[in-house]
Amino acid sequence: MSVAEADETPTEAGAGSAEPVPYSLWELVRYFLRLGTIGFGGPVALIEYMRRDLVEQRRWIPADEYRDGLALSQLAPGPLAAQLATYLGFVHYGVQGATLVSLAFVLPSFLMVVALGWAYVAYGGLAWVQAVFYAVGAAVIGIIAHSACRLTRSSIGADRLRWAVYLVSAAVTIVTESEIVWLFLAAGVVVWLAKAPPRRWAPRRLAAVALPAAPLAVAGADVGMLGRIFGFFLYAGSFVFGSGLAIVPFLYGGLVKERGWLTDHQFLDAVAVALITPGPVVITTGFIGYLLAGLAGACVAALATFLPAYLLTILPAPYFKRYGKRPGIAAFVDGVTAAAIGAISGAVVVLGRRSVVDLPTLLIAAIVLVLLWRKKVPEPLIVLAAALVGLVVHPLVRG
């Protein structure tokens, strides 16, 4: 089936709805192509943009479908924003929608980091990146703090149990500086038992729902450099839960400490490149792959990183659509969602410690937060202005 034909023909994934689909597949692909091109701020900001644009403003995606996608994205390993985009593509257009949306969302930032990787190798470093990121990093903290506030207000509501789960999850994230999947599962069980306790256990059904989320096995990783790159990043994509907050320290330990593939300086440059480009933060794997093995290395690293996230989103998705409305499942998803949003809010604090390092960066973050709170200033414009400020202020502050 061509994309044009798919525009008018939703797959069976959305065929159960009596109402017509309010958007074509091509419109959704165009939206995610645009978001992948200008969507700054990391996973917290990106998932808020999706909620604001697709749920509130355009009303393309039902709010309950968005919440299910967010919960599933937190339960499965891989980059949070890319997984949620994949799920939203699946809602009405099935596997074809999920595939096209995933490619549209990731491709722009991948091309950008490959271009920066070429410049890095050709010109011996990115000294200007540090100056730009000095201010952009602080501006991003303001953006994601605003997004986290909006997400919390819209999703947690006045429910005391959800607030308790949210606060515990946020505190654990701040203390451990990581997102713990078992905490999300425990939160779902607690809310499930409190609000919709089961009358009897059904282990066969639970096993059927859990089966698709089993981690992928890593095989054949020792067949040349590209094979080793594929094996390492497939492992990273399969077993690291959460957003870039979780995968960055994992990559540092594996690439710098254990294998010695990158120096500390190269790794920090790779993270900086990912944070000053739009799209998912873990696209830094494309930059790293380029440093290790050129364009082929970039393609292999990015594919290996995103493949588990793609598969472990579309495989469980039908179970969420089929069983998600049952009281027990809905309560479980409520608990997981509250824990996920708490972890996202905690991540703002963790990332803020690394980006807000002195008075100028504190002022930048505060100004951005005030601007977004009082006026609807486009985020790309804020990032561009912050980059220019960084080029001017960083040499004065750091000499």
Side-chain angles (χ1 to χ4, degrees):
M1 180 185 292
S2 67
V3 173
E5 291 171 335
D7 284 351
E8 305 300 332
T9 311
T11 68
E12 293 182 0
S17 174
E19 298 181 1
V21 179
Y23 59 91
S24 70
L25 176 55
W26 185 237
E27 286 176 320
L28 190 66
V29 169
R30 283 203 305 267
Y31 168 79
F32 277 102
L33 186 65
R34 179 178 181 275
L35 183 64
T37 304
I38 64 173
F40 291 90
V44 179
L46 290 171
I47 64 174
E48 168 60 14
Y49 298 156
M50 296 178 206
R51 188 196 64 80
R52 179 194 65 189
D53 297 339
L54 300 180
V55 178
E56 285 190 354
Q57 295 182 359
R58 305 187 188 193
R59 300 184 184 278
W60 286 358
I61 303 295
D64 57 346
E65 289 280 12
Y66 175 87
R67 287 193 295 268
D68 288 350
L70 180 59
L72 177 58
S73 300
Q74 284 288 349
L75 288 174
L80 175 64
Q83 288 170 298
L84 181 57
T86 300
Y87 183 88
L88 297 181
F90 183 88
V91 167
H92 287 124
Y93 289 96
V95 174
Q96 184 184 29
T99 303
L100 292 176
V101 163
S102 299
L103 291 173
F105 183 54
V106 172
L107 186 60
S109 56
F110 174 75
L111 295 177
M112 291 179 200
V113 298
V114 167
L116 289 171
W118 171 84
Y120 189 95
V121 172
Y123 299 107
L126 291 174
W128 59 270
V129 168
Q130 301 304 320
V132 169
F133 178 63
Y134 170 78
V136 169
V140 165
I141 294 302
I143 293 172
I144 64 176
H146 177 258
S147 299
C149 289
R150 286 177 55 86
L151 191 60
T152 300
R153 185 171 56 184
S154 64
S155 300
I156 302 301
D159 188 279
R160 292 184 179 181
L161 181 57
R162 284 204 298 262
W163 269 107
V165 169
Y166 167 88
L167 293 173
V168 169
S169 179
V172 170
T173 301
I174 292 170
V175 172
T176 64
E177 298 191 353
S178 63
E179 296 176 357
I180 303 174
V181 67
W182 301 115
L183 182 61
F184 301 147
L185 295 173
V189 171
V190 167
V191 177
W192 170 40
L193 294 177
K195 293 190 172 183
R199 296 180 180 178
R200 61 185 178 88
W201 294 101
R204 291 184 180 178
R205 287 185 179 177
L206 291 178
V209 173
L211 182 61
L216 298 175
V218 178
D222 293 320
V223 287
M225 189 59 185
L226 288 178
R228 291 193 292 272
I229 291 172
F230 184 84
F232 173 78
F233 286 105
L234 184 67
Y235 180 84
S238 299
F239 294 99
V240 176
F241 291 83
S243 62
L245 173 67
I247 203 171
V248 166
F250 178 87
L251 293 179
Y252 178 78
L255 294 169
V256 180
K257 297 297 184 183
E258 295 178 15
R259 290 166 176 79
W261 287 353
L262 297 179
T263 65
D264 285 314
H265 182 69
Q266 287 175 322
F267 183 79
L268 291 175
D269 284 347
V271 175
V273 164
L275 289 172
I276 65 171
T277 52
V281 171
V282 294
I283 201 60
T284 188
T285 59
F287 183 86
I288 293 170
Y290 192 94
L291 297 186
L292 297 176
L295 180 59
C299 294
V300 167
L303 174 64
T305 303
F306 286 98
L307 182 61
Y310 169 78
L311 294 176
L312 298 179
T313 300
I314 64 171
L315 292 179
Y319 293 98
F320 265 71
K321 295 181 72 65
R322 186 177 305 171
Y323 300 113
K325 307 304 179 186
R326 297 185 178 184
I329 299 296
F332 180 83
V333 170
D334 276 348
V336 172
T337 302
I341 296 172
I344 289 168
S345 300
V348 175
V349 177
V350 175
L351 293 173
R353 292 172 180 167
R354 291 161 171 76
S355 298
V356 180
V357 294
D358 52 24
L359 181 59
T361 50
L362 178 61
L363 290 175
I364 291 170
I367 290 171
V368 168
L369 185 59
V370 171
L371 284 175
L372 290 173
W373 204 270
R374 296 192 175 185
K375 299 180 180 181
K376 293 183 178 180
V377 182
E379 289 85 0
L381 182 60
I382 290 176
V383 172
L384 177 61
L388 297 176
V389 170
L391 291 172
V392 174
V393 174
H394 185 263
L396 300 176
V397 174
R398 299 302 171 95

